[in-house]
Structures are given as C-alpha cells and as structure tokens.
Amino acid sequence: MGAWGYSVFDDDSALDFYDTLVENEDGDAFIDQIEEVLNNACESDYLEVDEGNAVLVSSCIIDACINNTEYKFPSDEYSQLISENHKAKLRSLRTTAVDAINAVLSENSELNELWYETETYEDWKNSIQKIKENLM
C-alpha cells in the first residue's frame, strides 16, 4: 500500500484516481465517472484497493462540493468542472456515496483489510467515518 498517512489523499492510488478524474474536460463525464465508481462499489462482492480509494476520492469531492468541506486535494481542478447543475447531481449521489463508503469499511474490502493491519487503523477509519457523516 503506497500510503504515507491516513487521510484520503495520502495514498498513491487515490492520487492516481484523482488525476484520471480531473483529466475529464467535460463536467458531465466527470460526474458520470464518479457515479460509476460509486455504483460499482455498491454492487461489488469485494473491493480492491484501487476501487476503495476511488470511492473515497469521489466521496470527498461530493462532500467538498455540497458541504464546502476542505480536503487536501492535490489541485483545485475538480472545482473548475463543477457547475451548479452538477452540484445538484452530486447531491443526489450522497446516499450512494454513503453505501459505497460502507463497502470500503466492510470485511469485503482490501483497503480496509490493509489498514486493519496498521497501527493507525482507528485514525484511518475515523477519518472515513467523518466523510460518511458529512454526507448523511
């Protein structure tokens, strides 16, 4: 696991997904990709590390856009892709994001398994729970 801290953006896989996400020059495609990530996580029997990190990045973007929560995003490019219409769509994804976060925190998540083996598991889990609470 390429992580150097327990926040979402302290992870190579999360940063890679963020970079891929903001390469979209179309806000609709950006939102569609977030929705796809969340839906796939909710339908999956087991989440790999990259899938779990994609859920967390997507959830942070939703939280930042609808609640103005501040995260240590690598750039603010995501905000340039979001219009007011897109914010309405992101609001509608809140419940799906919460369900996807629950999948990340479950025993069927490789990311959860890897963090469980560390000394900072509770810190990581609490930071993820905070994102979830913000979206409820």
Side-chain angles (χ1 to χ4, degrees), residues 104-118:
V104 170
L105 293 173
S106 78
E107 61 187 31
N108 296 322
S109 164
E110 184 179 22
L111 189 59
N112 189 52
E113 290 172 5
L114 292 172
W115 275 104
Y116 186 76
E117 298 170 359
T118 69

Side-chain angles (χ1 to χ4, degrees), residues 17 21 27-43 54-55 58-59 61-62 89-90 92-94 96-97 100:
F17 178 73
L21 196 58
D28 291 331
F30 175 81
I31 301 298
D32 289 345
Q33 191 171 2
I34 288 174
E35 183 174 23
E36 181 179 350
V37 161
L38 298 175
N39 285 331
N40 288 345
C42 290
E43 296 169 5
V55 164
S58 298
S59 298
I61 289 171
I62 293 170
K89 176 66 175 180
L90 290 174
S92 75
L93 294 174
R94 287 172 25 175
T96 308

